[in-house]
Structures are given as structure tokens and as C-alpha cells.
Amino acid sequence: LGMRRAVDLACRARSAQRVITHRAMADSAPSTSQAGPSPAGAMDFFMLLQKLKTTKRTGWVRKGVPGPESIADHMYRMGMMALVAGSIPGSGVDQARAIKMAIVHDVAESIVGDITPHCKVSNEEKAELEASAIRQIQGMLGKDTAAAAEIAELWYEYEAGATPEAALIKDIDKLEMIVQAAEYEGVSAAGGGGPPALQGVFD
């Protein structure tokens, strides 16, 4: 148990350092423009988000779940969960930041899709693909705009998982998936078809 604790602390320290490094780079970069994204750039981004509404979550597709949720479906309920969790007295999190992080954390999937371990993509390659997607999104919004900077900062913070808000959203990410699996099992059982093989989600 002591060794596992030490490893966990070491991983958290590395994650915290990544957040500090990213924020230091952001602080040393030229200040963001007071102007917002161009109308064309903003519209390109809004149209890109359609992919999140139409792309089904890979895990449910692989499990054969009929009519599975989209990435946007997943993120919306996470946002509401963050609103509720962040409103609890003594939660120790910035509620608004947690909500924003929930709706940003999978935004790179609008470009790269929902990559899971079954896609035979290494963690390193997945991280680079998603980071590249974030850079593309920043380009759409204008790299020097506040919107582009905020989306990137929220995404990197979530990935590092070192802040209270990031830790909360990572937990909510898992909780939402468990709730969704329970709902799919209930619907399947009610229809007389027997529950789909989703036990692995709960393990």
C-alpha cells in the first residue's frame, strides 16, 4: 500500500508540474488580443462541434448498444453534474471552472474522434493527436484570443489532473459512464432482450 501511495504521489507531482509549466508558458506568451474570434472563425468552430453531437461513443458502439449516446450527450450531463457537485458547500472547487472543464475536456474528439484503448493507439500518440486538435481549434478561434487560450488551458489542466477541478471532472467522467451503463442495462432488461454485457464498466 505504501509503494502504491508513493507512486500515486509521484504521478500527481509530475501532473502538477505539467500544469505549472503550461501556465508559465501561457504567462510568458504575448498577451491575448482584446478582440474576439472572427465571425468566420467562430462559425467554423461552432460547425466543428456538430461532430460531437453526431459521433457515437466508441465504447458503447463496441458493446453493441443500440442508439448509443454521442460525445456531446456525455459532456452535457457531465456539465450538469459539475454544476451540482460544485454547488456543495465545502467542495473546494471553483464551480464555474469545473463546468467549463466538463464541456471542454473532450472537445479534441471533434477532430480525432473517440479514441479508446481498443483503437490500438498508444497513450503518447493519443495525447499528441488530441493536443494537435486543440492547436487546430485555437487556430480557428485565433491563437491570440481569450477564447482560444481558455479552451487550451482548460484542456491541458484536465489532462494533467492535478487541480481540484480536474480531479473532480475526471471522477465525474467515470461516474457519468457508470450511470449511462446502468441506464442501458435497465432499458435492455425492460425490453426483454436481457442486459448488454456492460459489467466491465462497473469493475
Side-chain angles (χ1 to χ4, degrees):
L1 182 59
M3 179 61 72
R4 289 174 60 186
R5 177 63 174 165
V7 171
D8 180 63
L9 289 173
C11 289
R12 286 179 178 273
R14 286 195 295 270
S15 295
Q17 184 59 48
R18 285 197 293 270
V19 170
I20 292 169
T21 299
H22 179 72
R23 285 183 171 173
M25 290 172 64
D27 290 343
S28 64
S31 59
T32 56
S33 169
Q34 294 300 311
S38 69
M43 188 55 65
D44 285 344
F45 176 58
F46 299 153
M47 295 294 287
L48 177 67
L49 296 180
Q50 171 72 3
K51 297 287 189 181
L52 298 175
K53 297 173 65 176
T54 58
T55 302
K56 305 303 182 183
R57 297 253 286 163
T58 303
W60 304 133
V61 173
R62 292 190 73 259
K63 292 290 187 180
V65 173
E69 67 171 348
S70 69
I71 298 168
D73 293 332
H74 168 64
M75 291 169 67
Y76 175 76
R77 182 153 57 184
M78 281 185 61
M80 295 301 292
M81 287 176 162
L83 186 154
V84 173
S87 71
I88 298 173
S91 65
V93 301
D94 181 328
Q95 182 196 49
R97 190 167 187 81
I99 294 169
K100 289 179 181 181
M101 195 176 295
I103 63 174
V104 164
H105 83 288
D106 277 343
V107 73
E109 294 181 11
S110 62
I111 294 175
V112 303
D114 184 17
I115 301 172
T116 73
H118 298 285
C119 297
K120 301 186 186 304
V121 175
S122 70
N123 290 337
E124 293 76 14
E125 185 179 0
K126 179 177 182 290
E128 180 50 41
L129 287 171
E130 292 185 345
S132 176
I134 293 298
R135 292 192 292 271
Q136 291 181 57
I137 289 170
Q138 287 183 279
M140 288 181 184
L141 294 173
K143 290 187 177 181
D144 294 333
T145 63
E150 185 171 25
I151 287 173
E153 182 176 311
L154 287 165
W155 184 82
Y156 280 105
E157 183 177 333
Y158 171 80
E159 287 295 304
T163 63
E165 291 76 22
L168 173 66
I169 298 307
K170 283 184 176 291
D171 286 342
I172 286 177
D173 189 24
K174 296 181 179 70
L175 175 60
E176 199 288 325
M177 181 174 64
I178 290 170
V179 171
Q180 186 64 73
E183 290 171 346
Y184 284 147
E185 287 193 337
V187 168
S188 182
L198 301 178
Q199 184 57 45
V201 173
F202 302 98
D203 295 337

